[in-house]
Each structure stands twice: as structure tokens, then as C-alpha cells.
Amino acid sequence: MTTGSDLLGRYAGSMVQVFGTPQLVLASGHGCWVTDVDGKRYLDLLSGIAVNALGHGHPALVQAVTKQAESAIHVSNFFTSEPAIALAERILAVAGAPEGSGVFFANSGTEATEAAIKLSRRTGRTRIVALEGSFHGRSTGALALTHKAAYREPFEPLIPEVVFVAPDDAEALVDAVDDTTAALFVEPVQGEAGVRELSGDYLRLARALTSAHGALLVVDEIQTGVGRTGDWFAHQASGIVPDAMTLAKGLGGGVPIGALVTYGSDVTAMLTAGQHGTTFGGNPLACAAGLAVLDTIERDHLLEHVGRVAALLDDVEIEGVAGTRGRGLLRAVELDGIPSAAVMVAARDAGFIVNAVTPTALRLAPPLVITEEELHGFLDALPAILEVARSAEQMVP
Ligand SMILES: Cc1ncc(COP(=O)(O)O)c(C=O)c1O
């Protein structure tokens, strides 16, 4: 029988090593649980980094994808298909986007960012303001807006005129956004930075400043969108209406898809025929998956469900946990003196998949369908996990 370690040996001999050594070789998933090739089960508290919104093997998603695959998987953008049109309409409806708004479908988050960067260039300006801690993707345009130097520097020079400002610092934002600014990019909750939420006041200031200076406000909801925070889109809690929104991750429930949403006819008209494109974007398979995700969130009242189960993570009083932050089912558990990498390993050994998002914090982004019982299972196990991690750390010379 092929084991996980056999497969990891083959991985090392066949893959570009940009991800280092994978932690596990996963074979299958059902609901919020995944099983590795050696048969060990784990509660998936990460859902493929905020992707498997409906968990694994959800019947609505499986049926939608299977049915669509039997009719048409791909049609090219010389043509279109009903699932693409229907998904665009549904996204605009749940986004509350005004008349004349539009959707451009891509295949990933970074491609959605690229589309937003090109949109911002159509203002006739080139200067972009982004936030410290930001993550907008790894393609070279998106990378220029991604703050972490270690990601950017090996690939410089990237597109110029990107300015980074400290998040939630009103004064810095007032100074940075001016009449030369093409766009301001913000993530309502910065997932990769360790689940750092922007305040509603800051988002409203961002809206006011960009409007006053004729710059676009782009909200990156690639990680926070599609129900993850308990709203359809995280920025909606602040009441702002952006000029553009980027989506990916949870939208396809695991089937690759990305999207740029343009708000209102003026912004939508900024990209005209021939100015952007992609071969796979808007393919009926991915769009059928997106429709199944949105339908299921609505039909099963998952936004309310997220609010309810996420309350369990509001006040976690466990020795070794300094606190939690984030919103809905995008959370960080800040640890008190125990390295997150050690906790991640101990959690995995105990049958829980979590992510060491910073050296001191775990990220939780479970499927939106996780039950209170499943989340309790993790919280009940956490003290012992922390104890194991603490002892393992003490044994390190
Ligand atoms: C906020 C945000 N933007 C953009 C991206 C890039 O998305 P992708 O990895 O699909 O290119 C990510 C991925 O983690 C993200 O979290």
C-alpha cells in the first residue's frame, strides 16, 4: 500500500518546492472531516485556507458540478453560458451592487487582483495605496501590493508607485490618498497578516477619501467574502459601497474561480472589449459550483449559522490562550508564550487541522457548515494540545 511518506518522497522528486514539504497527503473529505492516505481522520478547521465553504463532498456542490460536467465544462469567451450569467447576477444581488454593475470572472484570487489593478489604471493614474500586512496575491502585479518584503523582494522591480500605509491609521490614510491616487486596496480583515480586522470607521474613511479624490476603493474579499465573516461580504457590516471587490477562495467551494465585481455603470464601463481576458474565466463548471455555494448558503441560512457557531470563539478562556480576534469563521487564536508552529503540530497529531498564521497565532477558517459540536470538540481538546506543544518546546535544546 502506498503510504504518506512514499508519496512525500515522490513529491520531493517531482514538484517545484515552493511550498516546502507538505504536512500531510490528504485522500478524501466528508463534511468538516478529511482523511489522509494513511487513514487518519482530522477535523478540518482551515478548509483549504477558507476555500471549502460547504465542507468536503457537499451533495449540492457535487451534484451541481457533476451535472454541469455532463453538459459543458468549458465554452471559451467567444461564447457564454447560463451558469456564468446566473452566477454574475447572483453575486451582484447579494453584493447589493447598483444598476449597471458587472462581474469579470477569473480563476484565482491573484487574477482577480490583476483585473482590479488594470481597472485602476483606467483612471489614468498609476499610484496605488495598499496597507501594511496586506496580501493580494503572488502574480507580479498583485505581488507589488502584497506587503511582506520576503515575498516581493526576490522579484523586484515590480510595478512602481505602490505606497503602503499602516492599517487603521486614519492620519496616514489621509496623507496617502490624494488626487494622484488610482486606487486604495483594502482587506476588511487581513487574513494572512494574522486575522487583523479593519474598523468600520476606517473603512468609511477609506470610502470618503477615495470618493473625494476620484480614486477607486477596491475591497479584497478573496478570503473574507462569501459568508466567511457572517455577512455575504465583510465590508457590508460597515455600510460602505466600494468601487470594486475581488473574490475567489470560498466562491467555488473548492472549484477554482475568481471574480472582480465593478460597482455601478461608470466603473463597469472602465474596462472595454479587448482590454482584459482569460481563457478559463467564467467557465460553466466553476460557475455552476459558485451557484451551488451561493444557493446553499442562502437555503441553509449559513450566514446566521456562522454568527451562531462563531460565538463559541468569542471568549476562549483556556490557559495558554491570550485571546481571539477576527469575525465569524475567520479567527485567530493568539497564544500566550507557546509557538504556534508547535501547537499546529500537536493539533495535527490530535486530529485537528489548524494554521500557524503568525509565530504566535493560529488561524481558524473552518467550513461554514461546521457544527457547534465539532467546534466544541476542538476547544475541549485545546488544553491538552497546548500542553503537548509546551512540553515539546521545552524538549527543544
Ligand atoms: C486576501 C487575499 N487576496 C488574494 C489572495 C490570493 O489568492 P490566490 O491564492 O487564489 O491567488 C489571497 C490568498 O490567500 C488572499 O487571502
Side-chain angles (χ1 to χ4, degrees):
M1 207 185 77
T2 311
T3 65
S5 70
D6 294 337
L7 286 165
L8 288 177
R10 285 166 55 191
Y11 181 100
S14 60
M15 300 284 219
V16 176
Q17 298 297 307
V18 289
F19 300 108
T21 303
Q23 298 172 44
L24 297 168
V25 185
L26 295 177
S28 62
H30 186 74
C32 296
W33 296 81
V34 290
T35 306
D36 70 15
V37 288
D38 299 316
K40 184 172 162 70
R41 283 178 89 224
Y42 305 83
L43 180 62
D44 183 2
L45 294 159
L46 191 59
S47 48
I49 319 184
V51 168
N52 303 103
L54 306 183
H56 302 268
H58 193 289
L61 186 56
V62 172
Q63 275 161 27
V65 169
T66 308
K67 191 161 161 252
Q68 189 58 47
E70 282 168 354
S71 48
I73 293 177
H74 174 80
V75 297
S76 101
N77 286 307
F78 294 128
F79 310 101
T80 189
S81 66
E82 188 170 350
I85 297 163
L87 181 59
E89 290 170 345
R90 287 296 300 282
I91 291 172
L92 295 178
V94 294
E99 190 66 29
S101 298
V103 177
F104 168 80
F105 285 117
N107 313 287
S108 65
T110 204
E111 286 175 67
T113 304
E114 293 298 329
I117 293 171
K118 285 180 74 174
L119 180 78
S120 78
R121 285 280 173 107
R122 299 289 299 141
T123 58
R125 306 174 183 178
T126 46
R127 191 166 166 278
I128 291 178
V129 179
L131 303 191
E132 291 171 7
S134 60
F135 188 94
H136 296 294
R138 302 276 202 155
S139 50
T140 51
L143 192 57
L145 316 189
T146 289
H147 182 240
K148 199 170 178 176
Y151 294 161
R152 267 185 301 118
E153 282 174 1
F155 304 99
E156 288 177 340
L158 297 168
I159 59 165
E161 296 183 71
V162 179
V163 180
F164 291 102
V165 295
D168 250 349
D169 180 337
E171 223 170 286
L173 197 61
V174 170
D175 286 347
V177 177
D178 61 23
D179 288 349
T180 69
T181 306
L184 166 64
F185 281 67
V186 295
E187 296 155 78
V189 183
Q190 294 185 322
E192 301 304 303
V195 191
R196 301 274 174 195
E197 219 178 322
L198 295 179
S199 68
D201 281 348
Y202 186 80
L203 287 174
R204 286 184 286 274
L205 175 68
R207 176 67 285 179
L209 284 172
T210 45
S211 295
H213 291 287
L216 299 180
L217 175 61
V218 182
V219 289
D220 178 338
E221 296 257 11
I222 288 165
Q223 190 158 154
T224 50
V226 196
R228 171 111 337 249
T229 63
D231 287 299
W232 279 109
F233 305 108
H235 72 270
Q236 290 173 321
S238 70
I240 62 159
V241 178
D243 298 305
M245 169 168 73
T246 51
L247 299 173
K249 288 193 180 276
L251 180 59
V255 178
I257 188 168
L260 169 71
V261 180
T262 54
Y263 284 69
S265 46
D266 288 351
V267 179
T268 302
M270 287 169 73
L271 284 173
T272 58
Q275 288 185 336
H276 199 44
T278 160
T279 295
F280 294 119
N283 73 79
L285 188 78
C287 292
L291 277 169
V293 170
L294 297 188
D295 282 347
T296 306
I297 291 176
E298 205 157 69
R299 190 198 58 211
D300 294 351
H301 307 288
L302 290 181
L303 300 183
E304 295 81 349
H305 173 79
V306 166
R308 225 173 12 252
V309 292
L312 289 181
L313 298 168
D314 284 346
D315 302 300
V316 176
E317 290 193 11
I318 293 174
E319 207 197 317
V321 171
T324 61
R325 59 176 177 268
R327 213 190 303 167
L329 287 175
L330 180 57
R331 295 291 179 129
V333 176
E334 190 65 38
L335 301 163
D336 188 5
I338 317 170
S340 62
V343 179
M344 182 176 75
V345 171
R348 199 171 65 225
D349 291 346
F352 300 95
I353 291 184
V354 296
N355 164 242
V357 69
T358 71
T360 60
L362 300 177
R363 171 172 46 181
L364 306 180
L368 307 185
V369 294
I370 194 165
T371 62
E372 291 189 0
E373 200 184 350
E374 286 167 329
L375 214 42
H376 265 306
F378 171 66
L379 293 172
D380 291 348
L382 192 52
I385 290 169
L386 295 176
E387 195 44 51
V388 171
R390 209 180 273 116
S391 320
E393 270 308 292
Q394 279 161 2
M395 282 165 64
V396 174

